[in-house]
Amino acid sequence: MFDFDLTLPLMALQFLLLVALLNAIFYKPLTKVLEDRDDYILKNEKEARERLAKAEELATKYEQQLAEARKQSVEVIAKAQAEAKKIADAEIAGAQQEAIAQREKATEEIASQKQAAMQALEQQVDALSRQIWEKLVGPGLIRY
Amino acid sequence: MEILNSLSVFNSFPLAELEVGQHFYWEIGNYSIHGQVFLTSWFVIGLLVLASLAAIINVQKVPRGMQNMMEYALEFIRDLAKSQLGEKEYRPWVPFIGTLFLFIFVSNWSGALLPWKIISLPEGELAAPTNDINTTVALALLTSIAYFYAGFKKKGLGYFAKYIEPTPVLLPIAILEDFTKPLSLSFRLFGNILADELVVAVLVLLVPLFVPLPVMALGLFTSAIQALVFATLAGAYIHEALEGHGDEEHEE
């Protein structure tokens, strides 16, 4: 059972050759494959991370822009509203002034007509009172 | 072995025989070698080479089939070497430790799974290459050389400091260790595989059907464990040589 012979060194030599052979056709190529794959995965992961970061950055940028646009639109609306109010106020004020002016004019007209009427009435009063007086004292007595 | 031979007298069917210590000798010059060991080891080597070639013949980013299996094997081996030698040192030792594991594992399982005994040789019988003490001693001695090489390469002659490192009192034990390591490595593997094959053979001799199956399954398990143990211990010894006995190099 324990007969050592040339099998031992030959087997050792054969094993060393096997190590060299497998190193060339198994360990080296497949280790390279494994490492390449690790690199590939790492690289892709890094790229994906970068893209994600970029996308997030863009998203925040767009959100900022959106917020700004909202703010601007609110401002524009407020400005437009203020302007419209100003115009409306101005027009209302103009209309009121006009109305006041027309009323005053009407009042004046009324006053002048009233005066004219009063004058006419006064003349009539004179004439009437003269007539009345003539009738009362007779026409021959009247002297001016 | 006379007992076993006398047992076979009871068995009139030529279903199983036991031949231990008989070899199919090849003569090279004045020396003889065990032909059956080489025949099966060539088979094992051919299997490994074919599997490797099938794995790398069409390498793809997404592994399939053989490439996937061999990548799994390689990752297993790398993890084994890494766990023993550490992240920094393990890379150059992956081929040696990995080939130890693969060769022993495939040898053991070929012995346990393939009906080698169908192919009859003029003398002796085909079995797992690790069934022969020459193979296991060869592998164990290579492991010893490997860890000496690792130690000398890392520390030069300072490697000898590890023998007297904690205290020179332990010098004899430290020297003895260098002999017991290959001895235990080779005999553990040899004993386990031979014993397993013998137990299976004896059981088949006694009860040819079904009864040997659990033992055969156990044999598969032991075979795998022995390959793992051999490779792990080789890694551990190399690591020990790289690290030295003292605790002064544990800063990594």
Side-chain angles (χ1 to χ4, degrees):
Chain A
M1 212 183 284
F2 298 114
D3 53 342
F4 294 102
D5 51 17
L6 203 59
T7 312
L8 199 160
L10 280 183
M11 186 56 85
L13 191 70
Q14 183 177 272
F15 182 79
L16 285 181
L17 288 179
L18 180 66
V19 171
L21 184 63
L22 283 191
N23 189 34
I25 64 168
F26 173 53
Y27 298 108
K28 265 189 195 163
L30 277 195
T31 304
K32 192 168 165 291
V33 168
L34 289 182
E35 276 164 7
D36 284 354
R37 185 179 302 136
D38 285 350
D39 286 350
Y40 175 76
I41 289 169
L42 275 183
K43 210 180 99 198
N44 272 12
E45 209 187 339
K46 209 179 131 201
E47 270 179 19
R49 255 179 234 281
E50 273 169 14
R51 268 189 219 159
L52 192 67
K54 213 170 156 190
E56 271 167 11
E57 201 181 297
L58 277 181
T60 47
K61 204 170 136 195
Y62 288 149
E63 261 167 31
Q64 277 179 355
Q65 283 183 348
L66 200 67
E68 214 166 288
R70 278 220 187 98
K71 222 168 88 187
Q72 275 181 355
S73 74
V74 168
E75 267 170 26
V76 168
I77 289 172
K79 211 167 131 192
Q81 275 178 342
E83 235 162 75
K85 206 179 160 213
K86 221 162 88 185
I87 291 170
D89 282 353
E91 273 183 18
I92 289 170
Q96 274 177 343
Q97 274 178 354
E98 209 175 307
I100 288 168
Q102 276 183 353
R103 205 170 64 194
E104 273 173 11
K105 209 170 139 196
T107 314
E108 264 172 37
E109 225 167 88
I110 290 167
S112 70
Q113 278 182 4
K114 196 172 150 188
Q115 215 167 353
M118 287 297 263
Q119 273 176 357
L121 270 179
E122 256 172 47
Q123 281 173 359
Q124 281 182 347
V125 164
D126 279 351
L128 278 175
S129 56
R130 197 181 168 99
Q131 276 178 354
I132 292 168
W133 195 41
E134 269 179 9
K135 271 207 177 153
L136 282 176
V137 276
L141 287 175
I142 297 166
R143 281 161 229 154
Y144 295 99
Chain B
M1 292 306 118
E2 284 79 11
I3 304 165
L4 293 176
N5 287 335
S6 65
L7 268 177
S8 65
V9 172
F10 294 108
N11 195 352
S12 49
F13 302 104
L15 271 172
E17 298 177 81
L18 274 182
E19 295 184 63
V20 176
Q22 293 173 349
H23 298 291
F24 176 45
Y25 287 106
W26 290 346
E27 306 289 333
I28 296 180
N30 291 326
Y31 303 99
S32 60
I33 60 173
H34 298 172
Q36 88 276 11
V37 178
F38 279 99
L39 286 176
T40 43
S41 74
W42 291 338
F43 173 80
V44 169
I45 289 168
L47 213 61
L48 288 176
V49 169
L50 280 183
S52 307
L53 287 179
I56 62 159
I57 205 149
N58 182 18
V59 169
Q60 282 162 343
K61 193 148 272 170
V62 181
R64 303 181 52 195
M66 209 59 199
Q67 190 192 343
N68 207 354
M69 194 188 110
M70 292 310 271
E71 275 185 16
Y72 175 74
L74 181 61
E75 275 179 1
F76 177 77
I77 288 162
R78 269 158 57 112
D79 284 348
L80 178 75
K82 205 191 287 180
S83 68
Q84 289 305 320
L85 291 174
E87 180 70 43
K88 222 168 85 188
E89 311 269 12
Y90 82 97
R91 269 164 217 282
W93 292 103
V94 166
F96 181 70
I97 293 171
T99 312
L100 272 179
F101 175 76
L102 287 177
F103 182 73
I104 295 171
F105 179 73
V106 177
S107 295
N108 291 351
W109 272 35
S110 81
L113 289 175
L114 298 177
W116 286 117
K117 276 138 206 174
I118 285 175
I119 306 163
S120 61
L121 296 174
E123 202 185 355
E125 60 186 11
L126 290 175
T130 39
N131 199 357
D132 192 286
I133 188 78
N134 286 289
T135 313
T136 61
V137 170
L139 297 179
L141 285 181
L142 281 177
T143 306
S144 296
I145 293 169
Y147 78 71
F148 271 109
Y149 169 76
F152 281 124
K153 201 185 172 195
K154 177 105 183 269
K155 302 180 197 149
L157 285 177
Y159 174 67
F160 285 119
K162 82 159 196 175
Y163 286 94
I164 52 165
E165 194 74 322
T167 157
V169 177
L170 293 177
L171 177 67
I173 292 176
I175 293 172
L176 203 61
E177 251 186 2
D178 281 330
F179 292 96
T180 54
K181 276 173 184 171
L183 201 71
S184 66
L185 268 184
S186 58
F187 273 61
R188 179 185 306 114
L189 181 58
F190 169 66
N192 271 292
I193 303 309
L194 184 74
D196 175 54
E197 293 202 358
L198 281 182
V199 167
V200 171
V202 167
L203 274 181
V204 171
L205 201 76
L206 296 173
V207 192
L209 281 177
F210 303 122
V211 175
L213 276 178
V215 181
M216 288 167 116
L218 184 70
L220 280 182
F221 179 68
T222 334
S223 301
I225 291 295
Q226 284 312 314
L228 187 66
V229 164
F230 200 108
T232 309
L233 280 179
Y237 293 158
I238 293 168
H239 175 69
E240 202 177 296
L242 288 171
E243 278 273 294
H245 266 304
D247 291 334
E248 78 279 354
E249 277 190 71
H250 275 298
E251 80 276 5
E252 45 189 324

